[in-house]
Amino acid sequence: MNPKPVLPLLLAAALLAWPLTAASAAVRPDQRLDVGTRVNIKGLFRGTVFEAQEIEAAQDGSGSVKGTIDRYDPATGELRFGALRLQADERTRFRDAAGNDIDPATLRPGQRVKASLRVDDSGEIRVRRVRIMPGDSPSRLRLEGAVQSVVHTETETYIQLLGQEVRATARTAWDGIVRPRSFVDDEDVRPARGVQLGRFTRLSGELRLDYKSEQNYDLADEFESDETAGRGRGRLELTFQPRGRVSGMLQVKAEEERELEDQNDALEDRSKLTLGRAYVQLDGILGRHVSLQVGRSRFDDRRDWLFNRDIDALRVFADWARFRVELAVAEELVDPVKRHRDVRNTYLAATAYPGKRHAITAYVLDRDDRGLTDAGAPRDFSPRIFGLSLSGKLRKTFGYWAELARARGTIRGTQLDGEAFDAGVTLIVPSRLEPSLTLGYAMGSGDDDPLDDTDRTFRQSGLQLNNGKWNGVSSFRYYGEISRPELANLHIETIGVGIRPRRKTSLDLVYHRYRLDVPASELVEASYDDRRLNLLDTEIGEEWNLIAGFEELRHFEFEVNLGYFEPGRAFLGPIDPATLFRLKVKYVF
C-alpha cells in the first residue's frame, strides 16, 4: 500500500488550526508575564517564599496588600504579613471599615486589612493607607503590583513583586496572563514540595518500586520465555532556584533490578548509578525573551512521540506570549548507552499558541549517527524528521492531537523517505464519573518496493517513548503496553474508554488493532520483534490494556497495568497470546 502524500495531510492540519487561531483572535488576548506587567497574586507564605495559588492581570495602580496582619509595631511603623515587611510613616492614614480615621496603635494581629502602597522619592515602597476590612480573616494573602523581575525554570516561575519573592508552580491558576510554559512533561512535576535548603536550593526526589510479569512474549507456549522482574529506583534532585537570571538543576539516579527469566532459570541482579539532568540556565542573555541552557537536560514533548530522554545539550529558547522557538544541539557525552553513542541530534522547533489550551509546533530533528556496529561497520541510522504537531482542548469536554511527519535521510546506506500520521480525539462527559471515549488512528508507511534504492519505511527518532495520557491520571504506552511498537510499516487503530471518579483516580480500558502497511518479514522495534512474519498477511493482532491510577495521597502514586495481546495471521509458525501484569508504587517528596 502506498503511503498517502504528506502535503494533503499538512493542508488538513492547517485547515484544522485555522478556526482555532481565528477563535482565539476574537477574544481578549492574555498578557505576557514580564517586567512591568501588573498582576494580582493570591497565595500563602511557605517560609520566606510566597507560594502563588492564583495569578491574574490587574488594573493600573500603585500596589496593595490585602490579608491578615501578623504584626504592627507602632514604634517603627513596620507591618508584617508573613515574611513580607512594609513600612508606614507619618503620611500613612489608618482607617476602620467605615472609612473613619483610627489610632494605629489599635491594630491587632489577626485583623484583616488592606494596605495601599506608594513609592516615595527615594524609590522605596511605603504604606499610603491601612484600612480594616469587614468579614472573617481568610488564610490567603493578595499582593498587587508591577512585576519587578521574572525567571522561568523547568517547572516553576519566580517573580519579584513588592520586593517579595513569589513562586508559581504547575498548580498555580492563571487568568488574563499567559501561563509560562514548562520545559518538561507534567510527569516530571513533583506533587510534593521537597525540602528547602537555604533560600536558593531545594532538595526533592522519589523512590519507586516496580514489579512486572511478562508472559509468553515470544508468542509461543512451547518455549519458556516468561520474565518476572522487580526493580527499585531512586532519584535525588537539587534545584538551584534563580539568583538574578541564573538557575539550574542537578539530578542523580540510582537503580537496582532483579529479573528472573524462565527460559534458562537465570536470576540477574543489576544496579547502576547515573547522572540525570544537570544544567545551568541563563535567562535574558540576548534580550528579555531569550534563555540559554547548557548541560544535560530533558528533551520531551507532550506525547513523547518525538523524544523523551536526558541528553547533554546546548539549548536556546526564545519565548513570547503566543510564540516560542527552540534551537538545540544535543549528544550523549556522559556514559551514553550503546545505541545513542556518537549520535548528534540537532533540533529546531517553532510553536504557536492560538489559545490557552492549543499548541501548534513545526519542527525538524536531524539525527547524525556516526557510530559503529559490533562488527565495525557504520551503524548509519540517520533520519531527518520534518513534522507538524497539534494538540489542545476545547473547554473540558473535547481533546485532540495530531502528528504529521516525514522522515528522510539514510539508513544502513540506503536512502530513507517515509511518512507518518497519528491523530485522535477524546470526548469527556461532564458528570460525576467523567466517562470518556478516545478514538485514535496512527499510520507509519512501509517500503512497497524493496528492490529500489529507497526505503520508504517511516522511522521514528529512536528517542521516542510513545507515552501519554488522555483524561486519566496515569500515563501509558498509547500504542500498546505489550506491543510497544515503533510507528514503522504499521497501522494502529485505537479505542479507549475511561472514568475519573475522583480528581486523582482514573481507570482506562484501551483496545488496539495492528496491521502492516505492506507485508514484511519482521516488525520494527516491537516487544515481540524477534518473531518472523510470513510476507503474505498483514494482520499483526489485537491488544487490550487496563490501566488504573490512584494519586489521592499527596506523597504516593499507585498504578496497575494489565495487558493481553492476541497475535494475528501475519506471524510464522504457532502463535499464542501474551499477557502482562505491572505494578508501580512511587513515593515522592
Side-chain angles (χ1 to χ4, degrees):
M1 180 185 299
N2 290 325
K4 296 181 180 180
V6 86
L7 183 59
L9 297 177
L10 295 176
L11 178 59
L15 293 175
L16 174 64
W18 177 259
L20 301 179
T21 307
S24 65
V27 300
R28 175 183 59 83
D30 291 343
Q31 301 180 53
R32 173 186 168 86
L33 184 68
D34 216 331
V35 175
T37 303
R38 294 198 59 80
V39 293
N40 186 327
I41 303 180
K42 299 176 183 178
L44 300 168
F45 271 102
R46 304 284 183 181
T48 61
V49 178
F50 190 73
E51 295 278 1
Q53 297 173 333
E54 299 178 22
I55 299 179
E56 62 181 0
Q59 303 298 320
D60 293 340
S62 57
S64 65
V65 177
K66 182 188 291 186
T68 301
I69 188 171
D70 292 310
R71 181 184 177 188
Y72 172 66
D73 187 344
T76 62
E78 183 181 80
L79 293 93
R80 290 191 182 182
F81 299 84
L84 178 61
R85 301 184 180 188
L86 300 175
Q87 191 65 44
D89 56 23
E90 65 280 358
R91 297 171 57 185
T92 304
R93 303 292 298 274
F94 295 84
R95 295 176 177 173
D96 61 16
N100 302 312
D101 290 340
I102 61 172
D103 183 351
T106 61
L107 285 179
R108 295 289 182 267
Q111 286 181 307
R112 183 170 178 247
V113 304
K114 177 180 179 180
S116 301
L117 309 177
R118 60 180 170 82
V119 179
D120 65 13
D121 295 337
S122 64
E124 297 293 325
I125 297 175
R126 293 287 187 265
V127 179
R128 179 169 59 89
R129 182 178 64 245
V130 177
R131 181 171 179 173
I132 297 176
M133 304 295 293
D136 297 332
S137 299
S139 58
R140 296 194 303 177
L141 281 174
R142 190 203 70 180
L143 312 183
E144 182 175 320
V147 173
Q148 297 165 302
S149 68
V150 57
V151 175
H152 305 294
T153 69
E154 279 193 335
T155 58
E156 298 171 333
T157 295
Y158 290 85
I159 305 165
Q160 197 76 10
L161 182 74
L162 306 179
Q164 172 64 46
E165 183 181 47
V166 177
R167 179 165 61 208
T169 69
R171 294 174 293 275
T172 303
W174 300 76
D175 183 13
I177 301 288
V178 176
R179 176 190 290 271
R181 289 172 283 277
S182 171
F183 293 166
V184 299
D185 190 283
D186 63 358
E187 292 295 304
D188 297 310
V189 177
R190 299 280 177 219
R193 301 182 184 277
V195 180
Q196 194 72 28
L197 304 177
R199 185 176 180 184
F200 297 104
T201 307
R202 193 177 71 218
L203 177 68
S204 59
E206 70 179 40
L207 297 174
R208 174 174 166 177
L209 298 176
D210 291 274
Y211 171 82
K212 69 176 181 180
S213 175
E214 298 177 346
Q215 304 294 310
N216 211 34
Y217 270 38
D218 63 357
L219 308 182
D221 288 340
E222 59 192 73
F223 301 108
E224 296 290 341
S225 63
D226 301 337
E227 293 186 7
T228 301
R231 180 168 57 177
R233 288 186 284 184
R235 293 184 185 181
L236 284 179
E237 302 167 349
L238 274 178
T239 303
F240 302 99
Q241 297 162 1
R243 301 194 66 174
R245 297 183 181 274
V246 182
S247 60
M249 173 176 278
L250 174 63
Q251 182 187 75
V252 178
K253 304 177 182 179
E255 183 174 313
E256 175 75 24
E257 181 172 13
R258 295 174 61 87
E259 182 175 78
L260 175 64
E261 296 186 18
D262 290 351
Q263 188 170 5
N264 51 16
D265 293 326
L267 179 64
E268 294 187 16
D269 281 313
R270 292 186 290 267
S271 60
K272 61 181 178 180
L273 185 68
T274 59
L275 179 68
R277 282 169 279 171
Y279 64 84
V280 173
Q281 182 168 315
L282 307 175
D283 290 288
I285 58 168
L286 299 173
R288 64 185 184 179
H289 299 289
V290 181
S291 301
L292 174 69
Q293 195 179 89
V294 181
R296 172 162 286 196
S297 60
R298 172 63 58 88
F299 282 77
D300 63 2
D301 55 277
R302 183 176 180 183
R303 302 178 65 243
D304 299 339
W305 195 83
L306 193 61
F307 37 45
N308 182 309
R309 192 162 183 84
D310 295 335
I311 313 177
D312 308 295
L314 172 65
R315 308 175 78 174
V316 179
F317 304 94
D319 200 352
W320 293 270
R322 293 191 178 273
F323 191 69
R324 180 169 180 253
V325 177
E326 176 182 352
L327 173 64
V329 179
E331 182 172 346
E332 291 192 20
L333 302 174
V334 181
D335 192 25
V337 299
K338 186 176 180 180
R339 65 181 297 188
H340 297 301
R341 181 181 290 118
D342 298 321
V343 176
R344 179 168 299 163
N345 301 281
T346 304
Y347 177 63
L348 175 63
T351 302
Y353 300 90
K356 289 183 179 180
R357 300 185 178 186
H358 307 282
I360 306 172
T361 300
Y363 63 85
V364 57
L365 174 65
D366 180 77
R367 174 186 168 101
D368 180 17
D369 187 353
R370 310 180 307 279
L372 302 176
T373 65
D374 293 337
R379 190 170 49 204
D380 190 23
F381 175 50
S382 300
R384 181 179 298 116
I385 302 175
F386 303 87
L388 184 67
S389 175
L390 299 89
S391 64
K393 275 191 173 183
L394 298 176
R395 299 181 180 177
K396 295 183 179 180
T397 59
F398 178 81
Y400 67 92
W401 75 86
E403 304 281 354
L404 310 166
R406 183 171 187 177
R408 309 196 69 177
T410 60
I411 179 168
R412 297 185 294 274
T414 301
Q415 292 298 312
L416 177 66
D417 190 359
E419 297 170 349
F421 171 75
D422 181 345
V425 297
T426 297
L427 307 175
I428 305 168
V429 179
S431 65
R432 179 179 174 274
L433 294 178
E434 278 194 28
S436 62
L437 171 66
T438 298
L439 302 175
Y441 173 74
M443 183 279 292
S445 63
D447 187 11
D448 58 354
D449 188 359
L451 300 180
D452 65 7
D453 59 358
T454 300
D455 187 346
R456 294 177 176 81
T457 303
F458 178 79
R459 296 302 303 272
Q460 290 187 260
S461 66
L463 302 169
Q464 79 281 349
L465 197 62
N466 295 333
N467 192 69
K469 62 178 68 172
W470 297 328
N471 191 48
V473 301
S474 293
S475 62
F476 54 89
R477 303 299 183 99
Y478 49 75
Y479 288 158
E481 282 285 354
I482 292 179
S483 302
R484 299 192 176 194
E486 180 176 331
L487 189 58
N489 188 27
L490 205 59
H491 294 250
I492 306 174
E493 301 165 14
T494 298
I495 302 174
V497 292
I499 58 173
R500 192 163 179 170
R502 302 186 65 181
R503 193 173 70 90
K504 289 292 185 178
T505 302
S506 64
L507 185 68
D508 287 285
L509 177 62
V510 185
Y511 165 81
H512 304 284
R513 181 189 177 203
Y514 307 95
R515 293 180 295 110
L516 295 175
D517 187 49
V518 297
S521 62
E522 60 183 356
L523 287 164
V524 177
E525 296 296 331
S527 297
Y528 38 78
D529 58 5
D530 57 341
R531 282 297 304 263
R532 304 292 292 181
L533 305 178
N534 58 29
L535 283 171
L536 297 173
D537 292 293
T538 60
E539 293 294 332
I540 295 298
E542 299 173 307
E543 182 172 334
W544 291 262
N545 299 129
L546 182 66
I547 304 101
F550 179 83
E551 300 179 5
E552 301 291 343
L553 305 178
R554 180 179 175 189
H555 290 278
F556 291 91
E557 299 177 11
F558 301 89
E559 181 183 315
V560 176
N561 198 314
L562 304 176
Y564 177 87
F565 175 74
E566 182 70 45
R569 299 188 305 270
F571 290 97
L572 275 174
I575 53 174
D576 297 288
T579 60
L580 165 71
F581 171 79
R582 182 179 292 117
L583 171 67
K584 179 183 77 175
V585 179
K586 185 189 292 187
Y587 172 80
V588 296
F589 63 91

